[in-house]
Amino acid sequence: MPRGRYSLYDPHDHTPLGEEHFHCATGPSGWRYVSQLTTPSGDHAGSVDLTLDDLGRPIRLELHAGGWQVRGAALEGVTWVRTDPTGTHATEGNVPAHAFTGASPAFLVATARLLRPAPGAGAVRTRLVAFTPPVLAPRTLDQSWALVNRTAHPTDNGPLTADEYQVNDLETGEQHAVHIAGDVVLAAPGIELEDLETPPSTFP
């Protein structure tokens, strides 16, 4: 069960946004990721709880940030309920999309797991609903993912395979690289892996 800590920062000006302390695990039915977020000063800032089925589809999502809460799942596309900080208003949403995304590294692992582009096979398109702090307002976006490089690194526990994806925002044309090993993000815009207590899990 990988357990560790990511540092989060603004990818444009590198302003520190805080840290995400996580643990995750694969199982016969899929993958689960749980994390707690802190501000740069160390205060609690929210949480992420994401469960995927064995095909990479989100069967349960719960996000907390700035008093806002989102619960969602893959249901007739993706469906969610967003609740305001007072707890008095809840709005439901449904979009014909494939999955969710957001600021957490969990969503990068989840999207790669869902799409599984083959090396050299070109890009795979997907439609995602993004929830980003601090208010977790939904936004639908289209991306393409291509697996451009796969490298095996020797470790004490055997070779560790690191995948490099090229991710394109199909609305803006912006491109960036995402590096993932198993169920851990090694590097991505705005994300640095600072500490990892146990090796990444490998998906069956």
Side-chain angles (χ1 to χ4, degrees):
M1 178 187 292
R3 183 182 299 270
R5 173 173 54 89
Y6 295 107
S7 63
L8 308 178
Y9 59 90
D10 187 304
H12 302 291
D13 63 12
H14 295 276
T15 301
L17 300 178
E19 294 186 334
E20 186 161 337
H21 301 257
F22 73 94
H23 62 271
C24 52
T26 57
S29 59
W31 181 68
R32 187 176 181 199
Y33 176 100
V34 177
S35 69
Q36 299 291 323
L37 295 108
T38 58
T39 66
S41 61
D43 296 328
H44 179 71
S47 62
V48 178
D49 189 341
L50 174 64
T51 303
L52 308 180
D53 68 10
D54 59 353
L55 296 178
R57 297 172 299 195
I59 56 176
R60 180 177 178 273
L61 170 68
E62 185 169 331
L63 297 176
H64 294 267
W68 295 87
Q69 174 185 284
V70 168
R71 293 175 182 263
L75 182 66
E76 298 177 352
V78 293
T79 300
W80 67 89
V81 176
R82 176 172 173 263
T83 308
D84 72 313
T86 66
T88 56
H89 300 288
T91 55
E92 295 185 13
N94 173 264
V95 169
H98 301 106
F100 300 108
T101 191
S104 172
F107 294 113
L108 299 176
V109 175
T111 305
R113 179 67 180 158
L114 177 70
L115 300 180
R116 303 183 204 187
V124 180
R125 290 180 59 132
T126 186
R127 174 161 289 181
L128 305 169
V129 175
F131 299 103
T132 51
V135 297
L136 303 179
R139 182 172 68 92
T140 303
L141 54 90
D142 294 303
Q143 289 182 342
S144 70
W145 282 59
L147 179 54
V148 296
N149 195 19
R150 174 168 282 169
T151 308
H153 300 276
T155 71
D156 295 338
N157 299 312
L160 176 68
T161 301
D163 290 336
E164 178 186 351
Y165 298 91
Q166 179 178 293
V167 181
N168 290 356
D169 185 315
L170 298 180
E171 180 182 356
T172 65
E174 183 179 358
Q175 296 183 354
H176 61 268
V178 173
H179 299 263
I180 297 175
D183 58 353
V184 172
V185 175
L186 304 177
I191 298 167
E192 291 279 349
L193 179 63
E194 298 288 356
D195 180 50
L196 186 63
E197 295 179 12
T198 48
S201 300
T202 55
F203 290 103

